Amino acid sequence: MIAQKEIKSMKDLKGKVVALSSRGGTLDHLTRIMLEKNGLVPDKDVTLVVLGGQQTIWNAIRVDRVAAALINLPGYLILGKEGFTDLGAASDYFAYHPTGGLGLSDEKIAKDRDEVVAFLKATLKARKLYLNDRAAGIKAILKHGGLTDKSLAGDTYEEYRRDLSPDGLADEQWMKKAMDFILKVTGTQEHISPTKVFDFSLTRDAIAQVK
C-alpha cells in the first residue's frame, strides 16, 4: 500500500480517498482487508474509487489525486524510491495470496486431466527455478517485465520471491475470505464452500509427480 508522503500509518487514511483498479478483484479484496485489519471501515471511513490500470493509479498518487492505493510490483518500489510512504504489503496479512490462477471447466479437466497436470508440473518447475536461482529470476523479470534497471529488477525479484507460494497452493484463510468477499459484492445469499471454487487436487497430483 503506497500513500502520500504525509501519511505515516494506515489509520491516517481515515477520511481519505483510496484508489482501486476495479471492483471485485483481488486488489479490491486485499485493500479492504488491509483497511479492516487497521480498524477502518471501507466505503465509510475511507472512500474507494475505481481509476483503472496501475499506471493511471501511479499517476493519480503522483499528482495527489488519491491518498493511497495497493500497487503491484514494480510500481510500489518505484514510488517508494520517489519518497511516497510504504504502508505495508498484502503479504503482511496472508501467508500467500494468489493474484491469478488457472481456470478450467469441469469438462476440460475430465477430458484432458493429464494435459492439465503436465502444464502444472511445468509451472511448478519454473516456480522452483525462480525461487532457487536469483540470476534466472532477474533475467526473466528483465525479459518479460518491461524493466531495464537491473537494480530495480533485483528488488522486484526479492519481493516476488517473498510472496510466492513454494508449492502453488493458497492460504486457506485467504480462500475463505476471498469467497466471503465475492459473495458479498455479488449479493449472493447462498453459502458456497471454498472447495467448490478452489480445487488444488490437480496441483497436488503435479507436486507428487515433480517430487
Side-chain angles (χ1 to χ4, degrees), residues 73 76 89 91 95-97 158-165:
L73 283 167
Y76 80 76
S91 56
Y96 303 110
H97 53 281
E158 296 296 343
E159 291 293 323
Y160 272 132
R161 189 180 187 282
R162 182 186 69 172
D163 294 346
L164 198 62
S165 166

Side-chain angles (χ1 to χ4, degrees), residues 6-57:
E6 68 274 11
I7 294 174
K8 302 304 179 184
S9 72
M10 291 288 288
K11 294 186 184 299
D12 292 340
L13 293 176
K14 187 170 184 177
K16 305 291 186 182
V17 177
V18 172
L20 302 172
S21 54
S22 65
R23 293 280 184 185
T26 299
L27 292 181
D28 183 7
H29 177 215
L30 293 173
T31 296
R32 291 171 184 273
I33 289 174
M34 292 175 73
L35 292 171
E36 290 169 354
K37 289 285 187 179
N38 287 278
L40 298 172
V41 180
D43 298 316
K44 180 181 178 182
D45 295 328
V46 177
T47 300
L48 300 176
V49 297
V50 175
L51 295 185
Q54 286 281 299
Q55 190 63 57
T56 301
I57 293 176

Side-chain angles (χ1 to χ4, degrees), residues 4-7 58-67 84:
Q4 295 298 331
K5 299 172 185 178
E6 68 274 11
I7 294 174
W58 296 10
N59 292 334
I61 288 177
R62 284 172 171 146
V63 300
D64 203 13
R65 180 181 173 190
V66 296
F84 292 95

Side-chain angles (χ1 to χ4, degrees), residues 149-171:
D149 184 326
K150 289 186 178 180
S151 176
L152 179 59
D155 291 342
T156 300
Y157 167 82
E158 296 296 343
E159 291 293 323
Y160 272 132
R161 189 180 187 282
R162 182 186 69 172
D163 294 346
L164 198 62
S165 166
D167 53 14
L169 302 177
D171 178 78

